[in-house]
Amino acid sequence: MATTSSFSKGCFVFKAKPESSGKSPRKKTKKSSNLLHRSNGDLNASSLFGKCDKSSMEIRQDSYKKIWMSTKKKSEDIISDSHKQLLHDVSQFVSENADIGQSSIPTALVALGVNLPDHAAFFSLLDSTLNAHVSPFVAMLNSKECPSLKNMVLKAIQKLTSCDLADDDAEKDEEADEIVPVKPSSKIKTFANLATWYSNVVIKTPLIIILQDLESFSTQQLQDFVLLCREYRVRNKLPIQFIMGIATTVTLQQQLHHRTSVCLATKSFQSRPSIVLLNHLIEQLFMNSSVLKLGPRLMQLLLDGFLYHDLSLSSFLMRVHLIIMQHYITLPVSSLCCSMSELIDRIKKLSAADLDLYRQVPSFMKFIENNRSKVSLLTDDKEFRSFLQKSFEDLNSYSKDFSLSCRILHCLSDGMPDALFGKSLREVYINFLIGAESEDWDRFIQLLNISTSYELQSRIQAALATLKESDVSSALSDFSTSLVLFSEELKRLEQAPDTDTATSPKSPNVFVPKGKKLDKFELKAQLLASAKQARPTSKFDEIKSEIVSWLNSHLARQLKSPTTILFHEVFYAGSQVQSSWDIVPWIRRQVQPVPRVAISKALSDPASYLGCNCCSSNGQGSQILSTMPDLCIVYKLHTECGRLINLYDWMLSFNAIQQKDKDDENEEIEPIIQARFIRAVAQLQLLGFIQSSKRKTDHVARLTWGV
């Protein structure tokens, strides 16, 4: 059975065969299991790259690993830095409330938002932080492992007493790569036993209980557990503290009764919104000198999945990982998607067949059509290699200038009405990556024309501050110099004495041709034009007009989408529109799957998922083979029926398919066949394709029609 090439094609699980070794698989250390998981991931990626073109397989796989490891490290650093202050505040709260004098239980309420998939990463960091700096007695509980109060108490006691308090000499004797926790005594099963055990502990540190998903615990179970912990905190002086993870701030009032909530001394902590972290991730991963960037279609696809689905950064990074891998697997010209330091050597190693692939890139073909004088690039390999190098260097420098120009425009348009290009830098970048509308740009120029001296000066100063913080290229050096000159002129105008008198030219009369009558719209247009000509002008108006005209010409030129530049398909994933190289439709099917379509396809054609020849119908979709899974056979038979399906006739058809390869003419259905049919029908009902009918007891009703 072949491995699947997708992350989310269906609900099928292929379990790995256990290795034949002397040790039991249950005794594997945590480190060895992690190494095994990483090696399996590398093997899967290697098998996928093995299906690529052999000439550039190793180069593309090496580039994929470098890009993904760099992206992964940057994202982990960003997420850990964002949680650093929150982890410090929670740890400080626990340390300050270590005194057991108060009867109420100190409780930290950590509001993490509705992005539930990201909560596990935060609590993992919190667990390691508390173990390192506050107390080794930490029990992290979730609702899945605590279905009842008894399980909740046992799990909490087990995790609190499983800390290794051995001496340093004993720790040196253990292997460096294995962590073997001390098993709790089987006698410690209640809080009374826990109090006795804690009285013998040398270092008295708090007993911290972390409830990851407070909303998922039942209300009565949670209230009983809180009252029980409070009783033993008062009676036996157990320094129990709570850390509760909540999605919203109103959760505690819904989960706990007033009689229970008064037992808690709560303090709320708020994490940064996930949308803020997303903005920071996009800025660091795709705007700041990154090798591989996302095209407009893939960027919009990722944002739709994040904003309208789960608001999860971990899911966002998984989709980015999938895009990076698929870009290098699918695109044969991605071998040159590397850093500029490696580009020259890789261009020299390209064969004639590889150069022909780059000649087939749509942006280059369009360039040749518009520049007939460059036809020699199609035949001269030496000239084409030099052209490739220069084009990639120009694309790299323009991408940097484009990102910096988006920052400048964000400073100039920040605070304007209607948020023309977006409220955040991420929105500005994506709008111009897709191609901003000309109406928004015209509106931006109009708003600059009516800006006051103070507003214009503050916007120019913010843009200059952005330029100073960035590495300005030669293309934007003149831009920076011009902004400095404009800023100095505005400063001199503010410091100069108010002696300038506004000059107002004589207002010309409205000229009306003889014998022609103007309607009200034409008259209004001419009056507005004459009023504009007659408007008094000042020195500030002249400078402002000069600044706006200069920005309209120079800044707009730098904000042209990079997807219009030559060979952008190599560095911008998803910008390729050629049918054989376009990865956007495939990525969309993986990150935005339609479950019903996937299930119907799997049941109709199981060979496409299982990868075996025994289930293949050889292009005949209506053919039913006895070697197919029972569920697939029952599903195909049910598609041939009407609204009501007779169970007995259905079972006879199922039996006929199972017996058609046998010579036995006995019409009696074997018990094993009946059992298999009943199980397949139950599975089909569980998937939602059929339901029992009230009209006829021996019939079932069909619920789905078509795909």
Side-chain angles (χ1 to χ4, degrees), residues 352-405:
D354 295 333
L355 293 176
D356 290 337
L357 288 175
Y358 287 92
R359 292 187 177 104
Q360 297 174 16
V361 172
S363 60
F364 177 75
M365 296 173 65
K366 185 177 180 180
F367 172 78
I368 292 296
E369 290 177 359
N370 298 330
N371 298 272
R372 292 295 181 180
S373 59
K374 300 290 185 180
V375 178
S376 58
L377 293 173
L378 297 175
T379 55
D380 191 346
D381 290 348
K382 183 177 180 181
E383 182 183 358
F384 186 65
R385 291 178 194 273
S386 302
F387 181 77
L388 269 180
Q389 180 179 346
K390 184 178 183 305
S391 299
F392 285 153
E393 290 175 353
D394 293 343
L395 176 61
N396 181 58
S397 61
Y398 183 80
S399 297
K400 294 180 180 178
D401 294 343
F402 174 76
S403 299
L404 185 55
S405 300

Side-chain angles (χ1 to χ4, degrees), residues 211-280:
L211 304 179
Q212 296 187 50
D213 46 350
L214 187 68
E215 294 91 344
S216 300
F217 288 94
S218 66
T219 304
Q220 189 61 42
Q221 173 188 353
L222 192 61
Q223 293 179 3
D224 293 342
F225 185 75
V226 170
L227 292 175
L228 189 63
C229 292
R230 194 245 184 183
E231 179 182 356
Y232 280 92
R233 176 182 174 85
V234 175
R235 181 192 300 175
N236 299 94
K237 303 300 181 182
L238 283 178
I240 298 176
Q241 297 190 31
F242 285 145
I243 298 177
M244 298 181 179
I246 56 178
T248 58
T249 55
V250 298
T251 303
L252 192 65
Q253 300 175 1
Q254 298 174 354
Q255 289 290 103
L256 297 180
H257 191 268
H258 176 71
R259 175 171 168 267
T260 309
S261 59
V262 295
C263 301
L264 304 177
T266 61
K267 184 177 181 180
S268 299
F269 299 89
Q270 181 72 45
S271 66
R272 297 178 65 185
S274 57
I275 190 67
V276 176
L277 296 181
L278 174 71
N279 295 340
H280 197 191

Side-chain angles (χ1 to χ4, degrees), residues 625-692:
L625 303 176
S626 60
T627 54
M628 289 181 176
D630 296 340
L631 180 60
C632 299
I633 297 174
V634 169
Y635 173 79
K636 285 197 166 189
L637 289 174
H638 117 282
T639 57
E640 300 174 358
C641 302
R643 189 172 60 88
L644 292 177
I645 307 174
N646 189 304
L647 285 173
Y648 183 73
D649 296 340
W650 199 3
M651 185 171 62
L652 288 179
S653 302
F654 179 80
N655 181 62
I657 293 174
Q658 297 294 339
Q659 302 293 336
K660 68 178 181 179
D661 296 334
K662 299 180 181 180
D663 298 332
D664 188 9
E665 297 181 355
N666 186 12
E667 296 182 356
E668 185 178 355
I669 302 176
E670 299 178 0
I672 186 65
I673 298 296
Q674 297 182 24
R676 289 167 57 185
F677 173 77
I678 293 172
R679 182 181 62 181
V681 170
Q683 292 173 350
L684 201 64
Q685 183 178 1
L686 181 64
L687 292 174
F689 289 97
I690 60 173
Q691 71 175 3
S692 59

